[in-house]
Amino acid sequence: MPLDANLVRALTELGVPLPEPTDDPVKQRTRAYEFEEAVFPALGLPGPRVPIHDHVVPVPGYPDVPVRLFYPREPASGSALPVCLFFYGGGFSQGGLHHAGVAAQCARRAAEAGVIVAAVSYALAPEHPYPTALEQGYAALEWVVREASALGADATRIGVSGQSSGGNLAAALTLLNRDRGGYPLALQILEVPFLDLTDDPGERDLGEVTAELIADLARLLRWYLPEGADRRDPYVSPLRATDFTGLPPAYIVTAECDPIRGDGERYAAALANAGIPVSALQLIGLPHNGGLFERASLTARSAGQAIVAALRTLHD
């Protein structure tokens, strides 16, 4: 499985080393941010200027959660646009709207799909372990439904989306929403999702697993899951759910050179077997985070366009 040649060439020419993992979550976040700041201007695509509205949503029993709404245009009185909640990736412990790549993708998808992208700035582990981020996501969904008219949103055309660990949160949110009574969700978009937190990473089936990766994933899970947490709980590992009925249609993106690509593949199969409409796309030659580098990779650009097309289905 050779990596995308254009992406490899671009990364090599930049000469920016990947951030070294650390047991200090603050240093880990800083290193991840500095890496993206160094490479994204050269390898990623900037987002358009779009209207942005920031809100803070109360979450009973947990910290309030900031939600940033990216609009394709300024909301007008009486307008009602589809809305898609978005959860960024980062191993549950890093990432955020201050990352240029996250903000650019949210703005571009809002503008090109004509939807409101509601980016949920969930609290990070280990300071705020499971289920904080999931409960914040559910509170954000409730808020969007409740305040839809004031936000210029259509409460009948709501989607959820997420990347990597954010894909875990998005998938878990669809299960939690169904089990709590069910707001009408029309779509879920899961990009390189991490959906099974029970497996030994060393037993993944792609052959690229290293001791460093095993240690890194173990560290992230130790930060995210409190002691004694059940890793088979579907809200922790959505792939371990035994009932997939009642979930929204799904669009799932995996990357060929991603050690966790099997999570997305198996989840697509599980949804399909349960009668849920699902489409799956594999990004040939790309690693786990390769979809971010749309300037350097035609495959990444094509994936971005496919996700915009999926978001446009919220208008149907």
Side-chain angles (χ1 to χ4, degrees):
M1 276 175 284
L3 285 167
D4 182 298
N6 289 334
L7 180 57
V8 171
R9 186 181 306 111
L11 285 168
T12 301
E13 290 174 353
L14 282 176
V16 180
L18 290 171
E20 290 290 331
T22 170
D23 286 327
D24 184 329
V26 176
K27 288 183 179 178
Q28 182 86 348
R29 289 171 201 148
T30 300
R31 291 175 182 179
Y33 175 74
E34 290 174 345
F35 174 77
E36 187 174 325
E37 286 294 292
V39 303
F40 183 78
L43 305 186
L45 292 179
R49 293 179 64 87
V50 297
I52 291 173
H53 293 227
D54 286 325
H55 301 267
V56 176
V57 177
V59 186
Y62 298 92
D64 296 347
V65 61
V67 178
R68 175 167 293 176
L69 302 183
F70 295 79
Y71 286 83
R73 56 185 180 273
E74 282 291 355
S77 177
S79 67
L81 290 169
V83 58
C84 187
L85 275 69
F86 173 76
F87 298 87
Y88 46 77
F92 305 104
S93 59
Q94 62 195 39
L97 295 175
H98 59 295
H99 284 241
V102 173
Q105 284 190 331
C106 288
R108 192 163 57 256
R109 291 174 181 182
E112 295 180 4
V115 305
I116 303 167
V117 175
V120 181
S121 190
Y122 58 89
L124 300 176
E127 297 89 342
H128 302 283
Y130 172 86
T132 302
L134 180 57
E135 291 292 349
Q136 289 178 323
Y138 184 75
L141 172 60
E142 285 193 306
W143 172 77
V144 165
V145 173
R146 184 174 64 248
E147 301 295 330
S149 179
L151 299 173
D154 185 342
T156 69
R157 294 183 290 172
I158 297 177
V160 298
S161 63
Q163 298 172 334
S164 189
S165 56
N168 175 292
L169 294 172
L173 178 58
T174 68
L175 292 163
L176 183 65
N177 174 64
R178 179 200 64 189
D179 295 345
R180 288 185 176 177
Y183 294 106
L185 292 178
L187 177 68
Q188 57 177 316
I189 300 176
L190 311 179
E191 301 174 62
V192 293
F194 189 16
L195 299 173
D196 188 350
L197 277 55
T198 66
D199 284 347
D200 177 354
E203 296 179 357
R204 302 278 179 179
D205 59 359
L206 298 187
E208 301 94 344
V209 174
T210 64
E212 290 78 12
L213 175 63
I214 293 172
D216 193 27
L217 289 177
R219 181 186 305 107
L220 296 179
L221 296 184
R222 186 173 67 248
W223 286 347
Y224 178 57
L225 297 175
E227 186 175 354
D230 180 6
R231 294 192 180 192
R232 299 184 66 89
D233 187 317
Y235 303 149
V236 172
S237 296
L239 189 56
R240 295 291 180 167
T242 57
D243 179 9
F244 297 96
T245 59
L247 299 181
Y251 191 81
I252 299 176
V253 179
T254 61
E256 181 189 22
C257 302
D258 181 1
I260 64 169
R261 82 168 192 211
D263 286 18
E265 293 172 346
R266 297 199 304 273
Y267 202 67
L271 292 175
N273 287 337
I276 305 300
V278 57
S279 296
L281 172 68
Q282 185 173 115
L283 308 183
I284 301 302
L286 289 192
H288 181 71
N289 63 346
L292 181 66
F293 304 128
E294 295 178 68
R295 187 191 299 273
S297 169
L298 178 59
T299 301
R301 288 200 298 279
S302 298
Q305 293 166 1
I307 291 167
V308 166
L311 286 168
R312 285 178 181 152
T313 66
L314 288 171
H315 290 279
D316 296 341

